[in-house]
Each structure stands twice: as structure tokens, then as C-alpha cells.
Amino acid sequence: MLLRFFTPRPQPIIPMVVDDYSTGRLYVFPMLFDSGADRTAFPASYAAIIGHDNKAQKVVAVNIGGIGGKSEAYVHSVRVGLLDPVKSTAQKLVRPWTSGLDKALFIEKLSTPTGLLGRDVIREWRRLTFIPINNRPDRKWEIEIELP
Amino acid sequence: MTYYARLMAQMDRAMEKHPRSTVAMAADTFEILAAGRNVGRVAGQMRRKLRANQIPVVFQRPKKGETWIL
């Protein structure tokens, strides 16, 4: 199955469904494809959006390293999934694929306005292609994802 | 126009209206549920307005002219 997304942003960012399966709640966050990231991650402050507390006793904290230096990160139980760009409607967000991974990092020093879609998730797909678009003001990238 | 295209357009519109804020928007109606600089407050306000089974779309506008290196 091949899915084609477009983004009007200079960066390859698409909205993805984030499933907090501990509560059954779904959220949509923009995610940046980041082939340099080992793990899928969000800014630490986004934990509040899904109703999680980074300082709760049961939350595991880990140290990570990146371009901003070392940082503390909190592990929360969420699954990311793709939003079907053709079949989704306002009444029903169709998810043709959900990651098998059930945890993501919420990083203190991550200041991007998006989540980062790391290689842990990207490698679950068969193929990922970025196609630059230079002749449309409303589209900067087309992104093709081939699902297994 | 697909729902996906409408969603992208509505997110762009909301980002222009609230350029320095975290925005929470209802995925079905595109109603702005909450907007502000403090993510914790946005989360609280969003939860109070969110109806059962309604899905929020949460986003921020990237800073203009900012170079991203990740």
C-alpha cells in the first residue's frame, strides 16, 4: 500500500495520529521525518497535552544526546499512526497503519514545534521517499510511504 | 478537496492567527479549543472544551526564518 502526503511547510512534516492507549485517547500532532533520530520523540511539554506527568513516579527518565547536547527524556506509552490522506474524513480519521512501538521519548531540551519521527518507526515501512515540489506555493514536499 | 488538504489549510490559518502559541483545534470541526504560550494551560483548557470522542490536533507555528538542524 502506497500513501502520498504533501506538506506546505519547508520541512517534511505531516500530521500523525498519536494513540495514548492507556486512556484510549487519540491526538493529532505534526511530526517531522528525522532520519538522524534513533528514537521517535516529542518536546517534554507535550506530555501535558496527553495528560501525562513527566515527574510521576512510574515514569522512566533516561539520558539522551543530540545536537543540543545532553538532555533528560521521559518515556511515555504512546503509539504513532498514519492518517490516511485520501480516506480520512472529518467524522472518521482513518489509520491505515499504526506503529508496533508502544513508547516514545518526551525530551526536555527538544524545542521543535513538532514531534520527531525517528528511525525506530521509519524502519517499520518498506519505503520512504521525499519529493521536493518547486512549482506550487501550497506544497513544498510530497512524501511517499510504502507500507509492508 | 480532501479532509487532509482542509486540515492542512486550517492548521496554517490557525498558525497565522496564533503565531506564538500552541494551538489545540478540534479535528472534526476545526474549532480552536485553546491557544496560548503555556502548553500546560492549553492542555487544561483543551480538555475542558473537548467533547467525548473528539480528537484534538495540537501544533505550533515554526518560527519564521529559523534554521532547523536536527
Side-chain angles (χ1 to χ4, degrees):
Chain A
M1 183 181 193
L2 186 68
L3 297 171
R4 284 195 182 89
F5 299 86
F6 72 85
T7 177
R9 297 274 137 205
Q11 302 89 2
I13 296 169
I14 63 167
M16 289 187 74
V17 180
V18 175
D19 182 352
D20 174 8
Y21 57 89
S22 63
T23 62
R25 270 273 183 201
L26 299 179
Y27 302 82
V28 176
F29 289 119
M31 301 291 288
L32 171 73
F33 292 90
D34 185 0
S35 62
D38 291 335
R39 302 274 302 272
T40 293
F42 299 86
S45 60
Y46 274 41
I49 296 286
I50 60 170
H52 288 213
D53 178 4
N54 289 327
K55 300 297 180 188
Q57 212 168 10
K58 64 178 182 182
V59 173
V60 174
V62 295
N63 289 310
I64 58 111
I67 200 155
K70 292 190 185 310
S71 177
E72 197 160 28
Y74 310 98
V75 182
H76 289 288
S77 299
V78 292
R79 279 200 177 96
V80 297
L82 291 167
L83 182 68
D84 193 304
V86 176
K87 292 180 183 163
S88 290
T89 65
Q91 288 71 39
K92 187 172 173 54
L93 302 187
V94 177
R95 281 184 292 166
W97 176 90
T98 300
S99 172
L101 294 169
D102 59 1
K103 290 185 174 47
L105 299 177
F106 287 69
I107 301 174
E108 282 288 0
K109 284 190 180 173
L110 185 61
S111 60
T112 55
T114 68
L116 302 181
L117 194 67
R119 291 194 313 277
D120 55 349
V121 168
I122 291 172
R123 66 175 302 117
E124 293 184 42
W125 301 328
R126 187 167 289 165
R127 184 167 62 86
L128 170 63
T129 309
F130 299 109
I131 303 158
I133 300 171
N134 297 312
N135 57 357
R136 287 189 63 162
D138 60 328
R139 297 184 182 201
K140 297 286 191 293
W141 292 94
E142 187 171 294
I143 297 149
E144 285 184 356
I145 297 171
E146 188 179 341
L147 298 175
Chain B
M1 196 181 203
T2 61
Y3 169 77
Y4 178 83
R6 275 171 40 224
L7 174 64
M8 298 300 269
Q10 291 290 342
M11 286 169 71
D12 254 20
R13 204 164 297 159
M15 281 192 271
E16 292 307 316
K17 197 173 174 189
H18 304 281
R20 293 185 191 86
S21 296
T22 298
V23 179
M25 182 175 83
D28 54 353
T29 61
F30 302 130
E31 177 198 356
I32 304 295
L33 303 166
R37 289 193 191 193
N38 184 306
V39 178
R41 275 191 212 149
V42 169
Q45 200 179 338
M46 176 193 86
R47 258 189 291 282
R48 283 192 293 277
K49 281 200 174 176
L50 210 55
R51 295 196 310 273
N53 299 322
Q54 205 170 28
I55 298 170
V57 186
V58 182
F59 51 93
Q60 298 170 356
R61 190 181 79 168
K63 291 189 183 87
K64 271 188 178 159
E66 189 175 67
T67 301
W68 286 24
I69 300 173
L70 292 166

